[in-house]
Amino acid sequence: MARRFGVESGIIGVTAAAVVSVVVAGALAFSNVGGPSKAEAEGVGSQKAKRAAAPVDSSIAHASDRPGRSLNITIDDGPDPVWTPKVLEVLKRYNVKAVFCMIGPQAEAHPDLVKKVAAAGHKLCDHTLSHNTGMDKKPESYQSQEILGAQKKIEKAAGGAQVEYYRAPGGAFTPYSRKLAADHGMRPLGWNVDSKDFEGGSVATIESTVRGELSNGPTVLFHDGGGDRSRTVDSLNRLLPWMQSQGYGFGFPKR
């Protein structure tokens, strides 16, 4: 200490300082129990500020943010420990970025995959907690729980990356769910081309379906969860280079 004390005042002063130190340390320790770290708090704060500063359109997005001949690749129902890494490998091989529409509990169970998706430059999308395709017939309280609960799980698993889109299971949007998503920074996301890779068709069938529907618009739907996605992986391996040979580039859905 810089200040000098006499014998008696020194004892009293040191004792008082010690008591204050203990009290302050205890208060700081108590305030941090169960609470976020400074970095976490700043991350959450910056996300909230970003959402507040950039209002999101509540209409359903289909268009690409990339000008010209462009496609948006979207991948639903993961993350899956078997198929998501394989899909990521194919996307990396052809330097394509995609939107991964994740189910909340799946993201919570596989945070390493969520982080891997975000770190590779792909975008995150909220695909609800339970993938209920009857969402549009449920009460608003249910819709809110499904959407916001999944967003929270995905963003926690991602370690800071923002969920930028919301895709209703089966396209079961409502005016309420679209506005709710937009108010929380997520643009409702539709699709123009359904690969139907979940129907169990051959790779050739999936490829033919996608090629035949590309004139419908830029947003293409595939899956990396919900079952055996080996045909999806093989289809992407054939379709992505073909798309590039046709002069297509790849962007993200407009926000």
Side-chain angles (χ1 to χ4, degrees), residues 28-253:
L28 289 172
F30 180 78
S31 67
N32 285 329
V33 173
S37 67
K38 181 180 179 182
E40 289 172 334
E42 288 175 350
V44 171
S46 64
Q47 277 192 21
K48 289 181 178 178
K50 183 178 179 181
R51 288 171 184 159
V56 175
D57 191 334
S58 65
S59 65
I60 299 173
H62 296 91
S64 178
D65 64 1
R66 181 184 181 277
R69 196 170 170 82
S70 185
L71 297 172
N72 309 317
I73 302 300
T74 64
I75 314 288
D76 282 20
D77 296 357
D80 181 275
V82 174
W83 304 114
T84 302
K86 294 182 184 298
V87 169
L88 285 171
E89 286 175 9
V90 177
L91 294 172
K92 182 178 180 180
R93 182 174 303 130
Y94 299 107
N95 194 29
V96 173
K97 304 303 180 188
V99 176
F100 282 76
C101 299
M102 299 182 174
I103 297 173
Q106 286 293 108
E108 184 176 51
H110 306 288
D112 54 326
L113 291 178
V114 183
K115 291 181 177 68
K116 190 173 182 179
V117 167
H122 304 291
K123 300 289 188 180
L124 301 177
C125 172
D126 179 334
H127 205 33
T128 74
L129 290 174
S130 62
H131 198 274
N132 186 341
T133 56
M135 282 269 295
D136 55 338
K137 297 177 177 60
K138 293 291 186 178
E140 291 180 353
S141 58
Y142 177 89
Q143 295 177 50
S144 177
Q145 179 182 0
E146 285 283 313
I147 296 167
L148 300 186
Q151 181 186 27
K152 182 177 180 180
K153 288 181 184 295
I154 297 166
E155 290 189 342
K156 181 178 179 181
Q162 181 184 353
V163 174
E164 298 188 31
Y165 303 93
Y166 163 64
R167 174 174 275 167
F173 291 101
T174 65
Y176 171 79
S177 69
R178 290 191 289 106
K179 185 177 186 305
L180 178 71
D183 287 348
H184 287 81
M186 299 179 289
R187 178 78 188 266
L189 176 59
W191 64 87
N192 306 106
V193 180
D194 185 351
S195 68
K196 296 183 173 61
D197 57 345
F198 60 90
E199 291 187 357
S202 67
V203 173
T205 299
I206 295 170
E207 188 176 3
S208 175
T209 298
V210 172
R211 289 190 186 199
E213 292 188 7
L214 281 184
S215 60
N216 294 347
T219 303
V220 189
L221 170 62
F222 295 96
H223 296 79
D224 64 339
D228 183 345
R229 296 297 173 226
S230 57
R231 289 178 296 275
T232 300
V233 174
D234 291 343
S235 298
L236 285 168
N237 241 327
R238 294 168 60 167
L239 282 166
L240 295 180
W242 174 81
M243 290 168 173
Q244 290 171 333
S245 74
Q246 301 301 302
Y248 286 103
F250 299 91
F252 293 114

